[in-house]
């Protein structure tokens, strides 16, 4: 039963970070645009045959990151460091197998792509992410499923949190497996969260939801967006230049 | 089993993504037609199940991680088409929100875990269920099905890894992406999945199924209607045959092109110089990189150095008051 | 307008065990009236409301809305169900699960957008209901981070803004402060009109007395008894 | 017994933006009293209760319970926190998120088992509270499948059965039917004793009048003003 609680704590940790910083360091750029630029940058880096392009992207990303709040930086860098460390350890044997360069190129590219993704995920909330996929004309069913999944996870996290609090209030005895009695707690939590997310979708239906999301005061394509969009030709030009000139 | 970006060549990723497009199209059509609208939110719950299973991942040698996927589980609850969509969504969330598995390799990850796994798992499940009689036939079927499914998916991932060094090398003969051949990747991948992760998937699948059967029988009701139609079987066969072919074709073409191109430009880029330039000692030695204009090297080093310094100081400033943990039970 | 013919409902929580929630209910509800439904805990009020909103369907019996029977099958037709939901507004008993948007403003705008109203109209209505329900200070906040009473206000605003012909409110004043309770009372009174029906479940007799034309009473045995 | 010294609380929803919920609250609550806390929606009642229960901690100021300060650090000590929770009972505003067992019976027995009471005593108390709160018909049901009022009763039973010295009830009668409201009123009156403190938040003045010795009033500005 302690394992049950432990699992729920884990779920809370996994899903809880959404509500904590839901609008933290939110970027003012259209999410769809941000998603596209991030994708392009990762793609070009992967295609790049030399290191300069990748290093340039890393430099730009780091510079941008250094302007952010410390909390944001820590949140962003944690997954990056883990991924790079993991990659480095994995690729180390390759050096002795006659691929010395692979270690470096792959680690560097992993650093770059995880950094881009991590910044993206920290500066665009998941709801905006759903928006972005809608803007990019993904199938409705897909967007809907994405939305429902995130909703369920958020509800699950929030609900686990309050259940854990409720348990802590009444779990006043010494830890003992016999007196625990919370064996079904994880299952109950799942069922209950599922019921709650179903009810939420019912509430949406009651307000005439027909599967098509529209956003209130939909963001128009503004001047910062246009500037940001300039990154696309810039990235491509830089790519072409670095691939040829050096 | 999440393949991160840059372990596979962009070409491989493109082929895998292209292979997924018809699968996704068919799945969406099928789900729309066969699952009643009120049950659609269950897709989200399925995706969340899969997502949670995938959070408990353990790194394995060969460049990826091992974990339960729950694809067969969703397939036996809601059918393979729904499972395809649900796992796709779970993978997308992992890639975008948790940085697990790459964006470019998203197609490849979906191919393994959202296509091969649930469909193979479902087929195996159905096969077993027809042979076995009794109350627990569905549990036994799903158990074996999930084991077969996850191993099929792991094999696919291993092959994708393993063909990288054969197809993609730079002028100096170094692997551009994952450096391990099939002789390394297949044992590395399968060893874990035939044992630990295969069992984890089986346990996860049967535990949740048994739980759902007991606690929420209504969740299980929409499964009977789903049948793997003949066109899909054909499509599957075609994909199984065509995808590796496509990979080979793409790979060789690119490989030749890149060597040619590098040979043609000749003077500028010298991989070996670059390598000795910064693979030892610090990342950017002597404040410049061989092979690039000196001024650019200076600027880049300065930018990176300054940024890193600022970041370090900012991190130090919050190091003391570590993040508030919620009260634990 | 609304007709329930011998409606029963049983919750099938497990295959073995089912719970009766409604037992052979027959009644006829007309436009232009304000009904108050009262009854002890667990008598089936919320269940009845789910059926009236086409979220659950009678285990036996028929629910006829405006001459058309509402069944699981008919609700599967998206056009039909959207049209039905356009006419019926529902405030849940637990309003925290009824809120799903990023901000209070968007929450109120959601239904209006689904009705495809022009943008200017949407903005005007959002503004109006934010002011009516005193949500000015929290208009940009996330609904799930609000206090219980604030959530109820937000849910009320979101549904009332859509101006449905049939308005179903499950315990609309529980959790509201006294000012809010008074506001809801007077708002419902103003809302009454010949082409609108209001159905309210409540445990507060004083409130029921103030707003209702007709009282419906449910018993512990999940049956309905009328009382003028 | 309970002392709040200049307690403020701010919800930090984002690093940039935070919401004030309590603003420099100082008060002293004694054993043997029944306090009623009233105030408009969103004034901070539930937040105050979270702090009193050691679920949140003051952003600034001190909360002293029985001579010991309750801080995040002291609550991390399992023995200390268990001993603290043993003395304080709390019924949530949304009681549906407070229930976590498989059946109503288990829910009530959970806390009693934690207290290491003898089995016979546990059974007797469970039986007693099931009868007191009219839960006989639903004793074997899963709490999350109950109606709103039934859930509230179940949460009340689970907490009251533990017989804590300090009892904190967040809107205990909202969602209860009239019979239930009366029962809670009379039960709280009977419960009053020199070695027990009861703190209740409510929006219903009539209820507050009936049970409270002392009225605490909170304002929209998240401050506390006393009134005899
Ligand atoms: N999801 C569910 N599964 C099984 N039984 C349920 C479920 N929801 C409600 N019930 C049962 O159905 C009956 C009617 O519940 P309902 O919620 O309609 O009551 P209610 O009149 O709204 O009560 P309250 O005044 O407490 O809100 C109750 O006995 C309840 O336990
Ligand atoms: N999790 C949260 N995150 C951010 N702000 C919150 C959160 N919970 C409550 N608040 C805000 O804190 C303030 C106090 O909330 P609280 O729940 O304590 O009010 P309350 O007095 O209990 O109101 P009610 O009578 O409506 O229950 C409100 O302005 C509310 O919006
Ligand atoms: Mg109800
Ligand atoms: Mg409150």
């Amino acid at each position: 039963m302690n394992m049950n609680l432990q699992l729920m704590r884990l779920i809370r940790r996994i899903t809880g970070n959404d509500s904590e910083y839901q609008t933290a360091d939110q970027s003012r750029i259209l999410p769809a645009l941000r998603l596209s630029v991030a994708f392009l940058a990762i793609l070009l880096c992967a295609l790049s045959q030399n290191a300069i392009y990748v290093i340039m992207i890393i430099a730009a990303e780091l510079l941008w990151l250094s302007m952010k709040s410390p909390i944001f930086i820590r949140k962003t860098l944690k997954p990056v460091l883990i991924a790079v460390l993991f990659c480095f350890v994995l690729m180390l044997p390759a050096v002795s197998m006659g691929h010395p360069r692979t270690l470096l190129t792959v680690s560097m590219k992993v650093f770059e792509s995880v950094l881009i993704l991590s910044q993206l995920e920290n500066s665009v909330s998941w709801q905006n992410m759903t928006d972005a996929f809608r803007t990019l004309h993904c199938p409705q069913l897909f967007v809907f499923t994405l939305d429902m999944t995130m909703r369920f996870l958020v509800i699950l996290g929030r609900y686990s949190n309050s259940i854990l609090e409720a348990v802590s209030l009444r779990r006043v005895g010494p830890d003992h497996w016999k007196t625990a009695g919370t064996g079904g707690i994880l299952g109950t939590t799942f069922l209950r969260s599922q019921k709650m997310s179903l009810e939420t979708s019912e509430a949406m239906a009651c307000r005439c939801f027909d599967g098509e999301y529209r956003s209130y005061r939909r963001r128009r394509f503004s001047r910062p967006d246009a500037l940001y969009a300039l990154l696309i030709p810039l990235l491509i030009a830089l790519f072409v230049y670095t691939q040829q000139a050096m | 089993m999440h393949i991160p970006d840059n372990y596979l060549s962009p070409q491989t990723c493109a082929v895998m993504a292209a292979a997924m497009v018809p699968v996704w199209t068919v799945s969406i059509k099928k789900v729309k037609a066969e699952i009643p609208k009120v049950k659609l939110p269950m897709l989200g719950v399925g995706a969340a199940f899969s997502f949670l299973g995938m959070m408990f991942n353990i790194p394995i040698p060969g460049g990826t991680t091992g974990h339960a996927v729950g694809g067969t589980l969703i397939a036996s609850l809601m059918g393979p088409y729904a499972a395809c969509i649900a796992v796709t969504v779970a993978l997308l969330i992992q890639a975008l929100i948790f940085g697990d598995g790459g964006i470019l390799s998203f197609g490849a990850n979906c191919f393994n875990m959202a296509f091969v796994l649930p469909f193979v798992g479902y087929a195996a499940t159905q096969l077993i269920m027809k042979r076995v009689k009794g109350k627990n036939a569905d549990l036994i079927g799903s158990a074996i099905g999930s084991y077969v499914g996850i191993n099929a998916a792991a094999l696919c991932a291993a092959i994708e890894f393993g063909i990288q060094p054969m197809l993609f090398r730079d002028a100096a003969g170094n692997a551009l992406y994952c450096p391990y051949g099939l002789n390394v990747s297949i044992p590395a991948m399968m060893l874990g999945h035939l044992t630990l992760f295969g069992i984890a998937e089986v346990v996860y699948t049967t535990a949740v199924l048994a739980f759902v059967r007991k606690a929420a029988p209504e969740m299980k009701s929409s499964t009977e209607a789903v049948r793997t139609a003949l066109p899909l079987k054909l499509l599957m066969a075609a994909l199984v045959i065509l995808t590796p072919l496509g990979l080979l074709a793409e790979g060789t073409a690119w490989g030749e092109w890149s060597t040619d191109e590098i040979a043609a430009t000749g003077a500028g880029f010298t991989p070996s110089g670059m390598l000795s330039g910064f693979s030892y000692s610090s990342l950017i030695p002597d404040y410049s990189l061989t092979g690039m204009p000196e001024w650019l090297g200076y600027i880049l080093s300065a930018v990176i150095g300054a940024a890193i310094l600022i970041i370090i100081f900012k991190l130090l400033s919050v190091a003391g008051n570590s993040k508030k943990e919620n009260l634990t039970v | 307008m609304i007709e329930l013919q011998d409606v029963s409902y049983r919750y099938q929580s497990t295959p073995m065990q089912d719970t009766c929630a409604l037992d052979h209910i027959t009644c006829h509800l007309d436009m232009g009236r304000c009904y108050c439904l009262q009854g002890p805990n667990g008598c089936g009020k919320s269940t009845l409301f789910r059926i009236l909103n086409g979220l659950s369907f009678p285990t036996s019996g028929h629910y006829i809305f405006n001459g058309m029977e509402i069944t699981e099958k008919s609700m599967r037709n998206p056009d039909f169900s959207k049209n039905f939901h356009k006419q019926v507004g529902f405030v849940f008993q637990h309003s925290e699960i009824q809120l799903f948007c990023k901000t209070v403003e968007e929450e109120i705008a959601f239904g209006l957008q689904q009705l495809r109203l022009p943008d200017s109209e949407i903005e005007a209505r959002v503004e109006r209901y934010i002011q009516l329900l005193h949500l000015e200070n929290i208009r940009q906040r996330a609904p799930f981070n609000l206090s219980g009473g604030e959530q109820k206000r937000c849910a009320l605003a979101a549904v009332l803004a859509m101006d449905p012909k049939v308005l179903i409110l499950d315990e609309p004043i529980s959790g509201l402060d006294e000012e809010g309770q008074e506001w809801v009372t007077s708002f419902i009174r103003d809302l009454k009109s010949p082409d609108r029906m209001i159905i309210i479940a409540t445990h507060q007799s004083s409130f029921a007395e103030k707003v209702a034309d007709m009282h419906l009473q449910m018993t512990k045995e999940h049956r309905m008894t009328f009382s003028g």
Side-chain angles (χ1 to χ4, degrees), chain A, chain B, chain C:
Chain A
M1 118 38 247
N2 264 322
M3 195 170 122
N4 261 320
L5 292 181
Q6 223 65 49
L7 264 174
M8 282 180 62
R9 257 179 235 141
L10 205 75
I11 291 170
R12 173 176 72 179
R13 269 241 308 286
I14 293 170
T15 52
N17 57 0
D18 165 71
S19 49
E20 239 176 281
Y21 296 107
Q22 21 115 16
T23 50
D25 292 275
Q26 287 288 285
S27 107
R28 282 181 301 275
I29 309 296
L30 275 179
L33 193 59
R34 291 220 47 185
L35 201 67
S36 315
V37 170
F39 182 79
L40 183 70
I42 293 177
L43 178 69
L44 291 182
C45 280
L47 285 172
S48 172
Q49 294 284 314
N50 63 37
I52 298 171
Y53 186 74
V54 183
I55 293 182
M56 280 169 135
I57 299 278
I58 291 180
E61 285 282 316
L62 281 180
L63 193 66
W64 186 76
L65 183 66
S66 68
M67 323 234 175
K68 292 289 174 181
S69 68
I71 298 174
F72 184 88
I73 294 179
R74 187 169 53 190
K75 267 192 73 171
T76 309
L77 280 187
K78 211 163 128 197
V80 179
L81 293 182
I82 293 173
V84 170
L85 206 72
F86 177 48
C87 171
F88 203 79
V89 170
L90 259 168
M91 292 292 156
L92 215 50
V95 175
S96 59
M97 286 168 60
H99 301 275
R101 225 192 116 210
T102 311
L103 171 71
L104 213 77
T105 44
V106 173
S107 311
M108 196 167 65
K109 286 184 178 179
V110 164
F111 180 77
E112 162 267 334
S113 55
V114 181
L115 182 62
I116 292 178
L117 279 183
S118 180
Q119 289 201 14
L120 180 76
E121 97 204 23
N122 281 332
S123 53
V124 181
S125 77
W126 62 267
Q127 288 133 318
N128 289 333
M129 212 82 97
T130 324
D131 260 13
F133 284 104
R134 198 180 322 144
T135 323
L136 296 174
H137 294 288
C138 286
Q140 285 289 338
L141 178 72
F142 181 76
V143 175
F144 177 72
T145 309
L146 181 66
D147 198 51
M148 284 312 300
T149 312
M150 294 307 297
R151 192 152 284 150
F152 176 73
L153 284 172
V154 169
I155 288 179
L156 186 65
R158 236 183 277 155
Y159 185 63
S160 309
N161 188 36
S162 37
I163 286 294
L164 282 167
E165 279 178 1
V167 173
S168 82
L169 288 182
R170 275 194 278 154
R171 207 159 75 115
V172 295
D175 275 324
H176 191 277
W177 66 270
K178 241 175 131 180
T179 58
T182 48
I185 177 172
L186 188 64
T188 317
T189 307
F190 263 109
L191 283 183
R192 172 77 208 197
S193 315
Q194 180 218 331
K195 196 176 155 207
M196 280 175 21
S197 64
L198 278 179
E199 277 170 44
T200 305
S201 67
E202 284 171 0
M204 292 171 83
C206 281
R207 277 197 258 152
C208 301
F209 180 64
D210 52 10
E212 194 179 326
Y213 293 86
R214 298 177 192 85
S215 46
Y216 180 56
R217 288 184 186 160
R218 184 192 277 275
R219 287 273 332 278
R220 302 249 169 264
F221 200 73
S222 61
R223 193 170 309 164
D225 290 335
L227 285 179
Y228 198 83
L230 279 182
L231 277 177
I232 295 179
L234 197 72
L235 280 172
I236 296 176
L238 204 64
F239 178 73
V240 174
Y241 174 74
T242 51
Q243 296 306 297
Q244 288 175 352
M246 292 171 204
Chain B
M1 223 185 291
H2 292 77
I3 305 173
D5 276 337
N6 294 308
Y7 284 58
L8 299 184
S9 71
Q11 295 77 34
T12 317
C13 296
V15 171
M16 304 310 270
M20 276 314 283
V21 170
V23 179
W24 281 326
T25 316
V26 172
S27 297
I28 286 179
K29 271 214 192 86
K30 280 281 188 180
V31 166
K32 269 194 180 151
E34 284 176 1
I35 297 190
K37 207 171 158 215
V38 285
K39 286 247 157 90
L40 281 184
M42 293 305 297
L43 273 180
V45 177
F49 269 123
S50 165
F51 168 83
L52 289 171
M54 294 195 285
M55 285 309 287
F56 300 92
N57 49 17
I58 300 164
I60 49 175
T64 181
T65 51
H67 49 74
V69 179
T72 313
L73 166 69
I74 309 172
S76 28
L77 285 176
M78 278 177 286
Y81 302 99
C84 176
I85 293 174
V87 178
T88 301
V89 165
L91 285 171
L92 185 71
I93 294 173
Q94 291 237 301
L96 284 181
I97 320 261
F98 292 89
D100 223 349
I103 285 202
L104 296 181
S105 51
F106 182 64
N109 283 328
C110 284
F111 186 87
N112 303 335
M113 285 182 271
F115 173 52
V116 174
L117 195 159
F119 280 98
V120 172
Y122 187 73
T125 307
Q126 296 301 84
L127 205 72
I128 304 288
M129 268 168 71
K130 273 189 213 128
R131 303 284 181 283
V132 180
K133 292 274 162 295
K135 193 162 80 26
N136 290 323
D138 57 338
L139 281 189
I140 297 170
S142 308
I144 298 177
S146 60
Y147 186 76
V148 173
I150 197 165
N151 277 295
L155 188 63
C156 285
I159 294 176
E160 286 150 27
F161 273 121
I163 57 175
Q164 298 304 313
M166 293 199 283
L167 298 181
F168 309 100
R169 289 167 183 266
D170 65 6
N174 280 316
L176 276 168
Y177 306 100
C178 181
Y180 306 110
L182 287 170
N183 56 339
V184 178
S185 68
I186 290 185
M189 214 43 196
M190 298 318 290
L191 215 63
H193 282 91
L194 283 171
T195 54
L196 184 63
F197 306 119
I199 294 171
E201 174 87 348
V202 170
V203 170
Y204 189 63
T205 305
T206 40
V208 176
L209 262 188
F211 175 72
V212 164
R213 192 165 70 169
K214 204 176 77 196
E218 73 275 7
M219 230 176 117
K220 241 193 120 18
S221 54
S222 67
T223 71
E224 289 359 296
V226 188
R227 290 272 171 277
T228 335
L230 182 67
L232 188 93
K233 283 184 185 145
L234 292 181
L235 175 73
M236 268 180 82
L239 281 176
V240 167
I241 298 167
L242 288 181
T243 307
L245 282 183
L247 266 178
L248 287 173
E250 277 281 338
T252 42
W254 173 271
E256 279 159 23
W257 174 80
S258 65
T259 355
D260 291 352
E261 199 69 26
I262 287 171
T265 46
F269 178 55
T270 44
S272 53
M274 185 119 202
L275 169 71
S276 55
F278 63 94
S279 74
Y280 312 111
S281 71
S282 68
L283 180 69
I284 308 175
D286 301 333
Y287 292 93
S288 80
L289 279 163
T290 24
M292 77 164 86
E294 210 150 287
W295 57 270
L296 185 58
Y298 272 117
I299 294 178
L300 281 183
S301 329
V303 167
I304 293 182
I308 289 180
L309 274 182
I310 300 175
I311 289 174
I312 288 177
F313 277 112
K314 285 199 169 176
L315 284 182
L316 283 180
S317 73
V318 285
N321 45 345
S322 69
K323 204 178 84 187
K324 273 191 188 172
E325 269 285 332
N326 268 329
L327 172 79
T328 43
V329 183
Chain C
M1 172 71 182
I2 282 184
E3 196 151 339
L4 295 172
Q5 296 171 348
D6 213 26
V7 166
S8 298
Y9 189 83
R10 309 183 74 83
Y11 282 100
Q12 183 111 35
S13 21
T14 63
M16 265 71 77
Q17 172 202 350
D18 59 357
T19 320
C20 177
L22 297 174
D23 191 17
H24 297 285
I25 288 186
T26 301
C27 72
H28 184 91
L29 310 177
D30 286 314
M31 288 312 248
R33 297 282 180 104
C34 177
Y35 296 90
C36 249
L37 179 61
Q38 289 184 279
N41 288 140
C43 68
K45 303 182 292 298
S46 303
T47 310
L48 185 65
F49 283 2
R50 283 182 60 83
I51 289 182
L52 290 181
N53 277 283
L55 300 174
S56 300
F57 304 95
T59 315
S60 71
H62 304 277
Y63 165 32
I64 287 145
F65 179 86
N66 225 348
M68 291 161 307
E69 181 162 5
I70 306 294
T71 60
E72 198 162 357
K73 204 161 137 241
S74 67
M75 287 301 277
R76 251 188 230 160
N77 177 344
D79 292 334
F80 180 84
S81 78
K82 187 169 179 188
N83 185 38
F84 171 74
H85 287 310
K86 206 181 276 181
Q87 299 176 58
V88 186
F90 184 25
V91 175
F92 287 32
Q93 181 168 11
H94 300 298
S95 35
E96 70 273 18
I97 45 175
Q98 190 176 4
L99 306 172
F100 45 82
C101 292
K102 268 176 292 183
T103 65
V104 171
E105 272 181 354
E106 282 177 35
E107 195 70 55
I108 303 175
F110 182 87
L112 306 176
Q113 284 171 327
Q114 298 292 334
L115 294 179
R116 313 249 174 164
L117 298 180
D119 278 2
S120 58
E121 167 80 14
I122 293 181
E123 260 173 55
R125 281 211 210 170
V126 169
E127 215 47 52
R128 177 147 165 260
Y129 281 89
I130 282 184
Q131 245 137 54
L132 278 174
L133 283 147
H134 290 297
L135 301 168
E136 296 93 344
N137 294 330
I138 53 171
R139 55 191 299 162
Q140 292 291 346
R141 299 262 308 279
F144 69 81
N145 272 342
L146 298 177
S147 83
E150 288 167 344
Q151 284 176 338
K152 194 109 216 174
R153 283 162 192 265
C154 182
L156 277 167
V159 172
L160 293 178
M162 290 175 73
D163 196 22
K165 271 185 5 195
V166 177
L167 190 61
I168 302 182
L169 309 172
D170 202 349
E171 310 203 7
I173 60 163
S174 90
L176 290 190
D177 55 20
E178 278 171 359
E179 192 196 358
Q181 298 187 7
E182 264 160 41
W183 181 85
V184 169
T185 314
S186 72
F187 188 85
I188 290 176
R189 277 189 180 161
D190 295 346
L191 213 61
K192 282 188 211 169
S193 85
D195 56 351
R196 181 174 281 118
M197 183 192 319
I198 306 173
I199 313 175
I200 302 172
T202 183
H203 288 298
Q204 247 138 305
S205 303
S206 56
F207 172 66
E209 226 86 279
K210 277 186 211 141
V211 295
D213 312 323
M214 297 275 281
H215 293 268
L216 307 173
Q217 184 75 35
M218 285 191 67
T219 63
K220 279 214 292 299
E221 292 78 30
H222 314 291
R223 290 171 189 250
M224 194 182 273
T225 55
F226 287 81
S227 52

